[in-house]
Amino acid sequence: MKLKSAILGVFVLLTASKGFLPRVDPSPWDEILHQYVNQQHLVDYAKLKQQDWKKLRDYVASLGQPGSQPLSPAERKALLINAYNAMTIEWIVESYPTQSIWDTPRPFQAQRFRLAGEAVSLDEIESRLRGMKDPRIHAALVCASLSCPPLRREAYLADRLDQQLDANVREWLANPALNRFYPDQREVIVSPIFKWYGKDFDSYPGGIRGFLLKFGPPEATEKLSDSKFAGRFQ
């Protein structure tokens, strides 16, 4: 029995060392989003810190456990998006009250979280997601700022991921505070995210233009689709 236990222990160590992500139940994160994010996608940080900070910390901590088996691409993507957003919100709650995430020390660069047994920063999680070559992730990641894309009021799930990402991109592009379409003037003014991560959109059919025509407000894109239009960044 001791020999079998030792062999099993070695096997667990070997599989964990392959960098597998953990299989984590997103239900606690989903419940937090439903309860503390309103229809305008704003988080009630004070109430969350007072009532459910432990639930949030426990969910974030569960992401730090080593994985033992590979996840599907959709499972990996959903888990990493949930991890990024939950860790961002947890850091704000920990730092609350604060006026801005930028008032906290190295909010995106510091390796203050654990993912699959390794210390990681938010920037490193974002890099993993960008490596998946799906520019829609830029509409799903939040930076705890009003200029960010909307924080979805539910966890991302592998079996609904495409539907959820498409919906979030459309809502982001339809928000005139973040992106503005002027079809009569043949002009589009978009979030600086498209400038900062422009190369990520090269993989999308038609590049940024194709992305905007696919997910932008239909009443605007119908008029813009048959001609060139000028684009600039906010």
Side-chain angles (χ1 to χ4, degrees):
M1 291 296 293
K2 288 184 178 180
L3 178 59
K4 289 183 178 180
S5 297
I7 293 173
L8 179 60
V10 170
F11 174 76
V12 170
L13 287 173
L14 286 174
T15 53
S17 69
K18 292 180 180 179
F20 293 149
L21 293 173
R23 193 176 295 277
V24 175
D25 180 7
S27 297
W29 175 231
D30 189 74
E31 292 166 2
I32 288 169
L33 291 169
H34 276 93
Q35 187 167 354
Y36 298 102
V37 181
N38 65 19
Q39 295 288 347
Q40 289 72 46
H41 309 284
L42 301 177
V43 182
D44 190 338
Y45 291 108
K47 190 174 181 181
L48 173 55
K49 186 165 188 173
Q50 181 181 27
Q51 297 184 357
D52 270 325
W53 188 16
K54 182 180 184 302
K55 179 191 282 189
L56 178 56
R57 288 199 310 265
D58 288 347
Y59 172 72
V60 170
S62 71
L63 296 163
Q65 62 187 322
S68 59
Q69 56 185 326
L71 304 182
S72 70
E75 288 173 328
R76 290 200 307 274
K77 192 184 300 182
L79 184 138
L80 289 172
I81 294 172
N82 290 333
Y84 184 98
N85 290 345
M87 290 172 181
T88 301
I89 299 303
E90 201 280 327
W91 174 237
I92 292 292
V93 172
E94 181 176 337
S95 306
Y96 192 84
T98 183
Q99 293 298 313
S100 168
I101 193 171
W102 295 107
D103 293 337
T104 67
R106 303 181 69 228
F108 300 101
Q109 299 84 19
Q111 292 182 324
R112 60 173 54 90
F113 307 103
R114 296 196 70 81
L115 179 66
E118 299 180 353
V120 296
S121 67
L122 293 173
D123 278 350
E124 287 168 341
I125 296 175
E126 181 186 65
S127 292
R128 292 194 194 189
L129 281 163
R130 292 178 64 196
M132 295 181 179
K133 307 297 183 184
D134 182 352
R136 294 177 302 171
I137 62 105
H138 291 297
L141 303 182
V142 300
C143 61
S145 170
L146 293 176
S147 62
C148 291
L151 173 60
R152 195 168 186 81
R153 300 181 67 228
E154 63 179 1
Y156 286 90
L157 303 174
D159 59 354
R160 297 178 51 223
L161 187 58
D162 282 329
Q163 174 190 346
Q164 290 175 308
L165 287 174
D166 284 355
N168 234 57
V169 175
R170 290 191 173 99
E171 185 168 5
W172 175 44
L173 292 182
N175 185 338
L178 304 177
N179 301 278
R180 299 193 294 277
F181 290 73
Y182 300 105
D184 292 336
Q185 287 77 39
R186 295 288 189 266
E187 184 179 41
V188 177
I189 303 174
V190 294
S191 165
I193 286 174
F194 288 97
K195 179 179 181 180
W196 300 333
Y197 302 103
K199 290 184 179 180
D200 291 1
F201 294 88
D202 290 345
S203 63
Y204 193 84
I208 291 179
R209 183 180 188 278
F211 190 87
L212 296 175
L213 290 176
K214 171 69 174 180
F215 296 107
E219 64 276 10
T221 56
E222 286 177 6
K223 295 182 179 180
L224 293 170
S225 61
D226 61 351
S227 64
K228 292 183 178 180
F229 56 85
R232 54 191 177 93
F233 308 106
Q234 294 202 58

